[in-house]
Amino acid sequence: MTARELDAAGIREPALRDAYARCRRLNAQHGKTYFLATRLLPIERRSAVHALYGFARWADDIVDSLDSGLTPAERAETLDRLQERLAAGLRAGSSPEPVVRALAHTAAVYDIDHQYFTDFMASMRSDLDVTDYPTYADLYRYMHGSAAVIGLQMLPVLGTVVPRSEAAPHAAALGVAFQLTNFLRDVGEDLDRGRVYLPADLLAAHGVDRQLLERGRAGGSRDARITAALKDAVGLTREVYRQAAPGLAMLDPVARPCMRTAFVLYGGILDAVADDGYAVLHRRSTVSRRRRAAVAFDGLARLGLARLGAARHGAGETGPALPHTAQAGQARPVANSVRERNREAVT
């Protein structure tokens, strides 16, 4: 499938193909839920998504991996090198570092604002020394760079049927909703990294603090106060999903099944957390394979209908292939062409 995706995207140069293939492997290995949803995208757009998520996963692993053996100073140094390569790669439209090469190419082709990547790296850097967040407002400032900008990076790739500025707040909210879901699922693992991503004031409202969480993690005990705080956090996260939901209808019709599938599957993690009795200190809650398959099949059916509608309106099944030679100066006409075809598909 990798070769077909790259061919459809017009990516011919061998080193660039290898770079995108590496990003795809990172996405498949670390982001199983979103990787499944990505397979519902038009084939020529998938490589760009792999580049965006592959880079994010790679950077996140520098600060998060429990298995790397790196000291905090070594993590900081590694992140510094990555930031330098990223800045140079975005300026040049390429890089000797494969993951950055794919990202820079995607940013050029889809005319993605470089500030999003700067904000992302700032949040990654904060993970080196920030271990908790007093309020939701504090946490949200972190999530702007670590999650909201991922949704904003995705918009040019997905395409919209409204002005991008109208869809942007919903895309940002969806990125935040996904990350809040991950925070809830990974409470125990994050404690092992020395971090608490649930706002301290939300926890304190139920008599919970870091020490209580750590005792629960270490001893395997259950505490009604922790359960109440987690229920509150789930409710907060569901509200962010509600804020994101209107944005699904603003996307290119052939991109909606992908994002709806991700929306449903990530929301299903919240259901799994509740079904597990909010035992996230002790195990990771997951959506069952049967449920994942059912949602994916529903997405395939929706994708078929969307492609049929696009074909009836003369836009073709998957839209135009994107040139592998695009440079930053050429990116805007390509992106505009994609958006114009998207609008034709629903008029």
Side-chain angles (χ1 to χ4, degrees), residues 68-296:
S68 68
L70 295 177
T71 67
E74 289 169 337
R75 291 179 195 271
E77 183 180 347
T78 302
L79 207 59
D80 285 342
R81 287 198 300 270
L82 176 58
Q83 189 151 10
E84 291 170 2
R85 292 170 183 170
L86 173 65
L90 290 173
R91 285 195 302 269
S94 186
S95 172
E97 172 55 55
V99 176
V100 175
R101 183 184 307 137
L103 181 77
H105 180 262
T106 288
V109 169
Y110 286 97
D111 193 23
I112 299 173
D113 189 341
H114 293 182
Q115 186 63 44
Y116 297 152
F117 304 110
T118 301
D119 292 350
F120 173 78
M121 292 300 294
S123 286
M124 294 302 98
R125 181 168 299 282
S126 76
D127 268 335
L128 295 174
D129 49 42
V130 178
T131 61
D132 52 42
Y133 297 86
T135 68
Y136 181 71
D138 295 311
L139 180 62
Y140 189 85
R141 281 191 286 273
Y142 166 80
M143 291 190 296
H144 165 75
S146 63
V149 297
I150 303 297
L152 296 172
Q153 291 169 24
M154 284 285 294
L155 268 188
V157 180
L158 298 173
T160 60
V161 295
V162 299
R164 196 183 299 171
S165 59
E166 184 178 342
H170 304 290
L174 189 57
V176 170
F178 287 170
Q179 183 159 69
L180 285 170
T181 301
N182 287 341
F183 288 161
L184 278 159
R185 181 196 63 192
D186 299 339
V187 170
E189 295 175 19
D190 287 332
L191 274 172
D192 293 342
R193 299 183 179 98
R195 303 195 196 117
V196 177
Y197 286 109
L198 301 179
D201 58 350
L202 181 150
L203 296 173
H206 301 279
V208 179
D209 57 16
R210 176 191 285 266
Q211 290 70 36
L212 184 62
L213 292 174
E214 290 174 343
R215 287 200 300 273
R217 174 69 168 170
S221 60
R222 304 286 292 274
D223 190 297
R225 292 169 293 177
I226 294 175
T227 298
L230 293 170
K231 286 181 179 178
D232 199 359
V234 167
L236 170 66
T237 305
R238 291 195 189 279
E239 177 56 33
V240 181
Y241 276 102
R242 285 190 284 271
Q243 295 168 12
L248 296 176
M250 299 178 184
L251 299 175
D252 177 358
V254 295
R256 290 174 199 165
C258 165
M259 295 313 300
R260 183 185 181 278
T261 296
F263 185 98
V264 173
L265 288 176
Y266 269 94
I269 295 173
L270 297 179
D271 296 331
V273 168
D275 291 343
D276 285 347
Y278 300 91
V280 290
L281 280 176
H282 316 301
R283 61 178 177 271
R284 172 183 281 207
S285 299
T286 59
V287 178
S288 71
R289 288 186 178 181
R290 178 176 296 181
R291 175 61 176 158
R292 285 161 56 90
V295 174

